[in-house]
Amino acid sequence: MQKVTLSVLLGCVLYHTVDLLAPEGYTTKLGALTGASTLLKEQSCPQAGVLRPSKNQDLWVDVTHQIASKEFRNQAVGWLSGAVQVPTESFDEMGPIGEDRRWDAFGPFHAYLHSAFPLVHTTLKRSEVNTYGLIYEWVASVDSFEKPLLLAAHQDVVPVDQTTLDQWKYPPYSGHYDGERIWGRGSNDDKSGLIGVLSAVETLIKNRFQPTRNLVLAFGFDEETSGLQGAGELYKVLDQKYGKDGIAMVVDEGMGFSEQYGSYVAGPGIAEKGSLNVQVEVKAPGGHSSVPPAHTSIGVLSALLVHFEQNPFDVQLTRNQPIYTTLQCIGEHAKEVPKDLRKLIKKSAESDKALGKLSSSVLEDHLMKSLVGNTQAIDIIGGGVKSNALPELAWAVVNHRISVTESVSALKARDTKLLEPIAKKFNLSFNAFGELLTEAGAPALGSLSLLDISRGGLDPAPITPTFGSEGAPFKLLSGTIKAAFNAYRSDLKSEASDIVVAPSMMSGNTDTRFYWNLTRHIFRYSHQNGGKNSNALSRGIHTVNEHIEVDAWLEMIQFYATLILNVDESTEV
Ligand SMILES: [Zn+2]
């Protein structure tokens, strides 16, 4: 899970935007543009109604009351605290399961799940995939042809840096409960999600809920590294059983909700950026450095890398960006958005000029710019072995994150085009991603190769549909968010809700990158209340003092229980 959420960015960025607007004359200028008044009346971000279970209404009301009880709170604290106390660290470059002993940590975690959730383990069908991957299936009590809901989470946690131990308020694997929060590595990312789902299912079983369509839980165990051993293998089993588009919707870890401009805004992630690692390799003849050429391979590589940085990506906010949708929703529904900003956001739906203005203000923020556009970062470099020998090889790795509106192949084409003139300038043969672009055998002073070292890279995730004929799952999720939000505030009746649902995205990837084939309806959302501060860093995710507010954690359970019931009885998804 990524460290910084979008919503916190929006908070500061949009205030910044207002600062940039000329206070005088701005409104007049806007008014002068035709069509402004009709535009302002249009709904750019329709909100779903509150969706409460109806067939299982009584059961849902009972569950809601139970979650609000002191007994349940104690039990839930025990569930999550116990899970944090079983370390399940995953590391980069781990050896095969069974050989690399570090994987063994997941065995005790499985044993813990068995003992903590007895009803889940006697009611659901449990399968181990690639030893530590877990699939639980709650099989429908009747013959069902409806597609199942898939709830995903990961068992592994980011390793604790031993040099930071003294900075932890409580030991990282203590699962300490201070009366308000549970502390420790994984308490938030992502054991709150995994244990949240299991807590909801355990509670529903206890209340004698019987599903009428299958529910699937899939828990990977290396999300924080590559996901290949966990979700990568889980996918194969799920695909075998359910096939393309065989799942109604996937809900995995992701953004929660927080206060923005006087309103609560929930931001289910509907997109993920792609990535590509490019190795830039320069080879040149070796020899004694007392008789050097004008440029060694290291000198040439340096020129290439400087050229990369002198040519950053041109980033523009466009209307097909999920972040643009987020802005539209905030502009439309958040209560305290400054008037001029609200107008600009609305106007930008039709006016390119307004869009340009909004774009340049929003992208002033570096984090926002990184979310919207392609990025490049030169992360590793190597070359040369001896002070008196000419380096025969010099190389560097450039890490790209790919905008949701771009692709791996477009990125490769861009890098190729970017470096071509430099290859020519230094008279190098040029091989870009396996294709020789210079004449074979032509005289050259050396060679330049671009290599994809990320197994084909990762294209951006398909954007989850949120409206039109394919918008039903998003609508169901939105209605569920509102019902869970209300219910947790003891409102079991209102048709209105104080929470705005705004499709959104985050910069990191989740295990869902393996699940695209199973459904077009993937949501990265965990319904965690961030309050006024939605910055995940403030909750210690991926750093010291990771924790979760118990109130926020109980509300997550309320959300999962409501979602399971709503999907079960839906005729729309
Ligand atoms: Zn995570």
Side-chain angles (χ1 to χ4, degrees):
M1 181 179 175
Q2 63 141 35
K3 290 182 185 176
V4 183
T5 59
L6 170 66
S7 41
V8 70
L9 301 177
L10 284 177
C12 58
V13 170
L14 291 185
Y15 276 117
H16 186 49
T17 305
V18 175
D19 292 344
L20 289 172
L21 299 173
E24 283 167 46
Y26 167 66
T27 319
T28 355
K29 243 191 260 167
L30 247 191
L33 294 165
T34 51
S37 58
T38 45
L39 239 184
L40 298 184
K41 284 179 203 149
E42 264 175 40
Q43 273 259 337
S44 54
C45 176
Q47 292 290 297
V50 174
L51 183 65
R52 286 182 291 268
S54 57
K55 217 172 73 189
N56 291 293
Q57 190 188 7
D58 294 345
L59 187 148
W60 178 71
V61 170
D62 287 347
V63 166
T64 299
H65 288 317
Q66 285 163 30
I67 290 173
S69 72
K70 209 175 156 190
E71 296 73 43
F72 189 91
R73 185 185 177 96
N74 289 339
Q75 171 146 56
V77 165
W79 276 330
L80 182 54
S81 169
V84 172
Q85 289 171 48
V86 187
T88 47
E89 297 181 342
S90 64
F91 301 84
D92 288 339
E93 313 296 332
M94 282 173 86
I97 294 162
E99 282 177 31
D100 190 328
R101 302 306 349 157
R102 292 176 295 180
W103 292 116
D104 299 353
F106 292 89
F109 188 65
H110 287 193
Y112 172 74
L113 295 181
H114 258 287
S115 65
F117 300 101
L119 299 178
V120 168
H121 286 83
T122 48
T123 310
L124 276 64
K125 197 179 135 212
R126 175 184 177 279
S127 334
E128 291 172 357
V129 177
N130 195 19
T131 312
Y132 296 123
L134 289 173
I135 294 177
Y136 291 89
E137 285 169 290
W138 198 352
V139 179
S141 53
V142 293
D143 277 344
S144 167
F145 301 101
E146 306 289 350
K147 294 175 183 178
L149 163 68
L150 173 68
L151 297 175
H154 61 89
Q155 306 169 52
D156 59 314
V157 299
V158 174
V160 171
D161 180 345
Q162 294 299 307
T163 64
T164 63
L165 278 180
D166 59 338
Q167 294 172 46
W168 284 78
K169 233 171 161 171
Y170 305 99
Y173 293 109
S174 63
H176 179 78
Y177 173 52
D178 66 6
E180 276 179 42
R181 304 176 184 88
I182 294 168
W183 295 81
R185 172 64 80 236
S187 58
N188 208 309
D189 180 12
D190 178 33
K191 286 178 176 168
S192 66
L194 190 148
I195 302 297
V197 166
L198 289 175
S199 302
V201 173
E202 184 85 1
T203 306
L204 289 172
I205 300 170
K206 201 173 163 190
N207 283 271
R208 302 187 190 289
F209 170 63
Q210 295 196 319
T212 57
R213 72 162 87 190
N214 290 4
L215 169 72
V216 182
L217 316 179
F219 302 145
F221 59 96
D222 61 344
E223 192 277 340
E224 300 291 4
T225 57
S226 67
L228 283 166
Q229 301 284 345
E233 295 297 320
L234 291 170
Y235 165 70
K236 292 176 190 167
V237 175
L238 294 168
D239 187 50
Q240 188 92 39
K241 175 147 190 195
Y242 297 103
K244 184 166 173 53
D245 295 322
I247 296 286
M249 59 198 278
V250 170
V251 179
D252 196 358
E253 62 172 336
M255 318 255 296
F257 64 91
S258 62
E259 282 183 66
Q260 308 280 325
Y261 296 103
S263 294
Y264 276 104
V265 180
I270 58 160
E272 275 183 28
K273 291 184 80 174
S275 64
L276 175 70
N277 283 327
V278 178
Q279 181 149 321
V280 183
E281 251 183 35
V282 179
K283 286 181 183 162
H288 201 279
S289 64
S290 57
V291 196
H295 305 284
T296 67
S297 60
I298 293 176
V300 173
L301 178 69
S302 307
L304 291 162
L305 299 181
V306 167
H307 195 60
F308 262 109
E309 295 205 338
Q310 280 175 341
N311 291 276
F313 289 93
D314 178 34
V315 181
Q316 295 295 333
L317 184 64
T318 52
R319 296 188 185 97
N320 55 356
Q321 284 273 351
I323 284 167
Y324 181 74
T325 315
T326 318
L327 289 167
Q328 283 291 322
C329 289
I330 289 179
E332 183 79 35
H333 300 291
K335 285 179 199 153
E336 292 166 10
V337 176
K339 217 169 131 197
D340 285 352
L341 175 60
R342 202 189 293 279
K343 276 186 184 171
L344 180 65
I345 292 173
K346 288 197 178 189
K347 189 71 195 164
S348 70
E350 295 283 326
S351 155
D352 290 346
K353 198 174 157 192
L355 179 65
K357 201 165 188 171
L358 183 66
S359 173
S360 54
S361 325
V362 166
L363 299 180
E364 287 262 314
D365 184 277
H366 179 64
L367 287 169
M368 203 60 143
K369 195 172 174 181
S370 305
L371 264 181
V372 171
N374 291 325
T375 60
Q376 56 188 14
I378 303 161
D379 285 337
I380 317 178
I381 190 162
V385 286
K386 211 166 174 299
S387 65
N388 64 355
L390 296 171
E392 288 168 313
L393 169 70
W395 58 274
V397 174
V398 180
N399 174 248
H400 286 299
R401 299 303 168 106
I402 307 172
S403 164
V404 298
T405 55
E406 294 266 350
S407 66
V408 169
S409 57
L411 244 285
K412 285 182 176 173
R414 177 266 186 185
D415 282 359
T416 305
K417 203 174 158 209
L418 181 73
L419 298 190
E420 214 165 7
I422 311 293
K424 211 168 178 179
K425 181 179 160 193
F426 288 101
N427 192 15
L428 306 173
S429 70
F430 187 18
N431 186 313
F433 306 106
E435 196 187 334
L436 186 63
L437 300 175
T438 43
E439 210 181 306
L445 296 180
S447 69
L448 165 63
S449 302
L450 298 184
L451 308 163
D452 167 3
I453 56 161
S454 47
R455 299 186 203 93
L458 176 69
D459 270 318
I463 296 180
T464 302
T466 55
F467 56 87
S469 58
E470 290 190 294
F474 178 72
K475 198 173 162 197
L476 184 146
L477 180 81
S478 301
T480 301
I481 289 170
K482 293 179 179 220
F485 179 88
N486 281 3
Y488 196 67
R489 285 151 191 79
S490 307
D491 176 357
L492 303 177
K493 289 207 171 72
S494 294
E495 294 309 317
S497 171
D498 270 344
I499 190 166
V500 176
V501 181
S504 192
M505 67 171 287
M506 43 197 229
S507 65
N509 292 108
T510 62
D511 271 343
T512 62
R513 63 189 177 275
F514 295 98
Y515 298 154
W516 299 348
N517 196 47
L518 298 174
T519 179
R520 295 201 57 212
H521 306 284
I522 296 179
F523 302 99
R524 299 107 184 137
Y525 183 71
S526 54
H527 200 69
Q528 188 179 148
N529 185 354
K532 285 193 194 308
N533 186 357
S534 66
N535 188 344
L537 271 181
S538 69
R539 297 191 285 279
I541 290 174
H542 289 216
T543 180
V544 298
N545 293 321
E546 182 173 348
H547 65 273
I548 190 165
E549 308 273 343
V550 171
D551 281 335
W553 145 246
L554 291 169
E555 188 165 3
M556 287 170 67
I557 300 173
Q558 174 79 53
F559 164 74
Y560 289 124
T562 309
L563 180 66
I564 292 168
L565 295 175
N566 274 343
V567 172
D568 191 75
E569 60 185 58
S570 173
T571 54
E572 311 285 320
V573 303

